[in-house]
Amino acid sequence: MKKMFFVSALGLLSFSAFSQAAIDKALLDNLRKEKEKSDKGVSDPKASAKASFWMDRATTYSSIANQSSELDSSAAKTALEAYKKVVELDPKKGKDAQKFITGEDPSLFNAFVRQGAEKYQNKNLSGALEMFQLAQTVNTKDTLASLYGGIAAQQIDKKEEAKVQFEKYVENGGKDPSVFYGLAQLYRAENNFDKAVATLNKGLERSPGNKDLKSEVVNILLASGKEDQAIAELTALTKSDPTNVQNIVNLAILYDNMNSKLGTKIKELQGKMGSGTSKSADLTKKLDGEKEKLAIYDGEVKRVSALLKKTPAKPDLKRQLTDLAAKKKESTEAIASLETEIKTAQEAAKGNDNSAMETELTKLKAEKKNANDQAIASYKKVLEIDAANYDALYNLGVFYFNEAVQLKSEVDNMNMTEYQQRGKEVEGRVCGRFKKAKPYFEKAIQVKDEAEAKDNLATVNNVLEQFAGKGVACTEE
């Protein structure tokens, strides 16, 4: 992110043009004498009543401001006041004075800008701001003074005034992209995201190819939670500049994040639906599993009881019978509890609009699949351009790693019957996802020796060893 200050901008003011070293000593002495004479005249009622006196005073102080600020670092202000006095005293001479006050003659405007720049260089930022503000009263259509005024205001943390100054710069046709960027940052800092984006877009109208402004539009859209718009903007950027790897990486990450968020939404919705019909169905599966277990325990009790009658002296059979009785009790209690939960879930289902939720679930799953596919395609597009891009390699590894973890949770939630039916098949897919993640972590480590990639690779290798030990064949999709 760029710094909000525009310190370097004032370097554009060429102080060689303002250098006092070139001022002739005789001229300096003359200005000093003229200043002293003018200052005395202010307290002379006869002299100060004449418009010609104030015109001469304005000329003297304007010359000081433009040529020798060491005599008075705020001479431009005195010159402006003197010109206004001329207008007040003599309408005829006032016409000439007005040329300076309105900027028709640029000498007074230049005097304010010059002295403002000098104050800035001397770290008198408040004084600099005042000079730049007064310069704008002389020339309301200028962009230079508003630019420097905004810079000075920003550096003394006068954010509101900085916005005013930069907005004037924009209003008067300023084109510097850094101003639009900085102004957008000011609006972003106060969470005025719409204004920030509008400012950046205005900057893009004046600098259509500026990549920093385009990227910041995306950043602010993301910060304001407008991911769809951010994706649209970033997609446009990747089309206009197809070899810009970072834009494609950012687009992939956007889709990746969207994929994760949609997954969370789907789980939440399924959980809500689980309070009704779906939960009832899941509980029924668990109930069936418990009943199967109870039937097995009953069969074992009969078998062990028959053996005990034949050989009553065997203590091991009595222990087995005791253990089975305890397991039967646990299973019987679990069945009773599940039956109660099923009734509660069925009651809850009556208050759910399952049809609407199913429709929403279908929509979310389709959006998730699209985000999933777009993320993978974008990461792979990056690797086509730059096979050693760490972000794409690492993120793809994480992508497949997370898919494996999600699939594994499906296996963990299976009951005995479900596992017997398709547990091994799903485990094979879990193994396949981990196997798919492995080469991306390996290549990422080759590019950059990062602990995060090494830790994930170690986990993947450990899991794959466990699957090999269990005889699970990895199914790669």
Side-chain angles (χ1 to χ4, degrees), residues 15-27:
F15 269 78
S16 61
F18 299 143
S19 175
Q20 295 182 15
I23 296 177
D24 186 87
K25 186 177 182 301
L27 176 61

Side-chain angles (χ1 to χ4, degrees), residues 383 387-388 390 393 438-448:
L383 295 177
Y390 177 83
L393 290 167
K438 180 177 178 177
Y440 291 107
F441 288 133
E442 290 174 335
K443 290 176 185 175
I445 293 169
Q446 291 171 12
V447 174
K448 195 186 295 185

Side-chain angles (χ1 to χ4, degrees), residues 118-129:
E118 287 174 342
K119 289 179 184 293
Y120 183 93
Q121 294 292 346
N122 292 324
K123 312 298 183 186
N124 181 359
L125 300 180
S126 294
L129 175 58

Side-chain angles (χ1 to χ4, degrees), residues 98-216:
Q98 282 286 10
K99 292 178 181 179
F100 298 95
I101 295 172
T102 61
E104 183 180 343
D105 184 311
S107 59
L108 182 60
F109 171 80
N110 291 337
F112 276 118
V113 173
R114 181 185 190 279
Q115 293 204 303
E118 287 174 342
K119 289 179 184 293
Y120 183 93
Q121 294 292 346
N122 292 324
K123 312 298 183 186
N124 181 359
L125 300 180
S126 294
L129 175 58
E130 181 187 18
M131 287 295 173
F132 293 135
Q133 288 171 324
L134 287 169
Q136 291 168 66
T137 66
V138 174
N139 186 349
T140 58
K141 297 299 181 182
D142 173 71
T143 56
L144 187 68
S146 55
L147 169 61
Y148 297 154
I151 294 167
Q154 199 171 29
Q155 292 212 26
I156 54 178
D157 206 32
K158 289 190 173 182
K159 295 185 177 65
E160 289 304 314
E161 182 59 27
K163 286 190 294 184
V164 169
Q165 293 291 311
F166 288 141
E167 285 289 5
K168 284 182 181 178
Y169 173 85
V170 171
E171 182 184 340
N172 287 339
K175 296 180 180 180
D176 189 335
S178 65
V179 175
F180 291 92
Y181 188 99
L183 182 56
Q185 291 301 303
L186 289 170
Y187 285 122
R188 179 178 180 173
E190 57 190 25
N191 294 328
N192 192 343
F193 298 117
D194 289 343
K195 186 68 174 176
V197 170
T199 299
L200 291 167
N201 285 333
K202 190 173 288 185
L204 284 167
E205 289 175 9
R206 297 176 192 180
S207 302
N210 190 276
K211 295 178 182 178
D212 290 329
L213 296 181
K214 290 179 179 178
S215 296
E216 190 58 16

